[in-house]
Amino acid sequence: MERKEFIKKFAYGGSILLTAPVILSACSSSDDDYVPNDPNEPGNDLTIDLTSSTYSDLGTIGGYVYAGNIMIFRTGESTYLALSKICTHQGCTVAYNHDATEVQCPCHNSRYTTAGAVIDGPAPASLKKYSVVKNGDILTIS
């Protein structure tokens, strides 16, 4: 093997070794397969203390916060809803639009009702809805 041919093959092989991790990670599970933690599993209940400054946005109707993979929003004087914050299309974080009373994905414009149902795609499925129980200043989401 001549020196020139050796260098050419070495460069080619080296480039494959350097790009292989990038190529292989691109083949791993996609955002479409993203599954958030499920508070319905035993021991995974989420507890929110409404007196905490972290959750101060829940002090007003229409306010919302994220807690883990869950979005909690206040819909009335003493009513709250909790949905997965992960869009079912490609895993982007959705946001509550109080004026439109719907949940919207900023990535590809999917829209959901406050019950999590798809209004407008490309989202293929509804957002997961969680049970919310209020006891004093504590919300328990399961």
Side-chain angles (χ1 to χ4, degrees):
M1 179 181 299
E2 292 185 25
R3 182 174 188 244
K4 185 177 181 180
E5 186 179 344
F6 172 79
I7 291 173
K8 185 177 177 181
K9 287 184 178 187
F10 181 78
Y12 178 73
S15 65
I16 289 175
L17 288 175
L18 290 174
T19 58
V22 174
I23 292 169
L24 293 176
S25 70
C27 294
S28 65
S29 68
S30 71
D31 289 337
D32 290 336
D33 298 330
Y34 183 83
V35 178
N37 290 336
D38 188 353
N40 286 325
E41 292 179 17
N44 279 355
D45 286 355
L46 177 64
T47 303
I48 302 292
D49 183 351
L50 295 172
T51 62
S52 168
S53 61
T54 303
Y55 305 109
S56 62
D57 286 347
L58 293 176
T60 58
I61 296 171
Y64 71 95
V65 297
Y66 299 115
N69 286 328
I70 297 174
M71 178 177 60
I72 303 121
F73 46 102
R74 187 170 179 179
T75 58
E77 199 57 45
S78 62
T79 55
Y80 299 82
L81 287 172
L83 299 172
S84 169
K85 75 173 189 178
I86 308 300
C87 180
T88 59
H89 176 234
Q90 287 189 337
C92 294
T93 299
V94 297
Y96 176 58
N97 181 333
H98 176 67
D99 295 333
T101 62
E102 64 185 28
V103 177
Q104 300 172 333
C105 179
C107 295
H108 300 103
N109 301 316
S110 290
R111 295 175 23 240
Y112 302 88
T113 67
T114 55
V118 177
I119 296 170
D120 191 24
S126 299
L127 296 171
K128 182 164 179 86
K129 186 174 180 180
Y130 298 96
S131 167
V132 180
V133 175
K134 184 175 187 263
N135 187 4
D137 288 330
I138 304 295
L139 293 181
T140 302
I141 297 150
S142 56

